[in-house]
Amino acid sequence: MEIFANPDTWISLLTLTFMEVVLGIDNIVFISIIVSRLPKDQQAKGRNIGLALALVFRIILLMFIAWIVSASNPIFSINLPFTDEDFPVSWRDIILFAGGLFLLAKSVTEIHNKLEGEVEGQSAGQGTATLGKVLIQIILIDIVFSFDSILTAVGLAQEIIVMIVAVIIAMGIMLIFAKYVSDFVNKHPTVKMLALSFLLLIGFMLVVEALHQHIPKGYIYFAMFFSLMVEMLNLKLRKKTDPVHLRQNEVLPEGDPSI
C-alpha cells in the first residue's frame, strides 16, 4: 500500500501502538482479576478469549469511527436544580458513566471478597463463576475501554488501516504478556489489592469524565506507576518475611450441614 511508503505513517503507527499498549494495561489487569475466579484449567482460555474479544470489538468500533466521534454530541439535556444551566448528555457520557459505576462496583466487590472471604455453595448461584459470565463482564468493560482507545487513535492517525494495524499489534503484545501479568498479580496478594485499587481509580475517573470534569490521564498513570514502584520495593525488601495471605474461596462439600 502506498500509505505505508510514507515515513509519517510509520511514526503514527509506532506512536499509536505504544499508546494502545499503555491504555490496554488496565484492560489486562481487569481481565487477570476477573478470570482468576474461574477454575484453574479455564483461566488461560478465558484470558485469551477475553483479549481476542477486545481486539474484535475495537476493530468493529473502528469501522463505526464516525459514530464514535459523533457520540460526544449531546442527545438531550438535564436542567440542573438551583441553576439556569442545562447539562448536555451524550452517548459517550452514558457509556463512560455506566462503565465507571460497573468498575467501581466490581472492584469493591472483589476487595470485599478477598478481605472478608466467601464460601462457594452457600446458595444457588452465589460465589460461582462460569466462563460465560466472565466473558460477558469482559465484553462490557472492553466496550468502555475501547472508547478511550479509539478517541486516542483518531488524534494520532487519520487512516483507519493504520489504526487497525496498531490495535492488532498492541493486542498481540498484550496477549504475549497477559499470562505473566496475570500470574504475577495472582501470586502476590498485595499487588492484587493494588490492582483493584487502580481499577477503583479508573472507575472514578470514568464517572468524573462522564460529568464533563476532565482529569489529565498523565496524572493518573503517574500515580499508578509510582504506587507500583513502591510496591515492587516492598516486595523486594520483604522477600524473607512471611507473605500476606488473602482469603481464598472455600468450596463446601455437597451435603455439608453448614450450606
Side-chain angles (χ1 to χ4, degrees):
M1 292 184 180
E2 295 182 2
I3 186 175
F4 288 101
N6 188 345
D8 291 339
T9 300
W10 289 99
I11 294 174
S12 297
L13 179 62
L14 291 174
T15 305
L16 186 54
T17 301
F18 175 75
M19 289 301 299
E20 288 290 331
V21 172
V22 172
L23 293 174
I25 291 174
D26 45 13
N27 206 356
I28 292 179
V29 171
F30 178 81
I31 291 175
S32 299
I33 291 173
I34 197 69
V35 300
S36 67
R37 300 181 65 80
L38 290 171
K40 287 283 186 182
D41 58 338
Q42 293 186 19
Q43 290 182 10
K45 181 179 179 181
R47 185 169 56 246
N48 293 336
I49 294 177
L51 286 172
L53 287 173
L55 172 60
V56 171
F57 270 95
R58 291 192 185 189
I59 292 177
I60 291 175
L61 289 175
L62 280 171
M63 299 300 180
F64 296 91
I65 195 167
W67 180 85
I68 297 295
V69 174
S70 65
S72 298
N73 299 330
I75 54 177
F76 64 90
S77 297
I78 299 176
N79 184 259
L80 299 176
F82 311 112
T83 176
D84 295 330
E85 297 180 358
D86 288 336
F87 182 82
V89 179
S90 65
W91 280 113
R92 177 179 179 273
D93 298 332
I94 295 173
I95 292 173
L96 292 183
F97 188 79
L101 290 182
F102 174 76
L103 264 185
L104 288 172
K106 190 64 183 175
S107 302
V108 170
T109 301
E110 288 292 329
I111 291 173
H112 171 82
N113 290 338
K114 289 301 175 187
L115 294 179
E116 297 291 335
E118 60 182 354
V119 179
E120 293 187 1
Q122 284 181 331
S123 61
Q126 181 180 354
T128 60
T130 63
L131 184 60
K133 290 179 182 178
V134 166
L135 291 180
I136 289 173
Q137 294 181 65
I138 291 174
I139 289 171
L140 291 175
I141 208 63
D142 276 344
I143 293 174
V144 177
F145 286 152
S146 292
F147 262 76
D148 265 351
S149 174
I150 290 174
L151 291 175
T152 300
V154 172
L156 293 176
Q158 300 299 321
E159 299 290 338
I160 291 182
I161 185 63
V162 175
M163 301 178 196
I164 292 176
V165 172
V167 168
I168 292 174
I169 295 174
M171 282 296 174
I173 294 172
M174 288 189 283
L175 192 61
I176 293 172
F177 291 99
K179 182 181 184 303
Y180 301 103
V181 173
S182 180
D183 290 345
F184 183 79
V185 169
N186 291 320
K187 181 180 178 182
H188 301 283
T190 53
V191 174
K192 192 165 190 174
M193 295 303 296
L194 188 61
L196 287 169
S197 300
F198 289 166
L199 292 179
L200 275 174
L201 184 61
I202 294 169
F204 174 75
M205 182 184 70
L206 291 175
V207 171
V208 170
E209 288 272 353
L211 297 176
H212 300 179
Q213 302 297 318
H214 179 65
I215 300 177
K217 291 183 176 61
Y219 296 154
I220 301 295
Y221 286 117
F222 174 78
M224 292 168 63
F225 176 77
F226 181 79
S227 302
L228 185 60
M229 289 301 99
V230 171
E231 181 57 27
M232 293 301 100
L233 290 174
N234 284 335
L235 289 175
K236 188 174 182 179
L237 291 172
R238 297 177 182 176
K239 262 186 177 181
K240 297 182 179 180
T241 62
D242 293 333
V244 175
H245 294 286
L246 296 179
R247 292 179 183 268
Q248 301 297 319
N249 297 342
E250 179 186 354
V251 182
L252 294 177
E254 294 184 5
D256 193 301
S258 61
I259 297 179

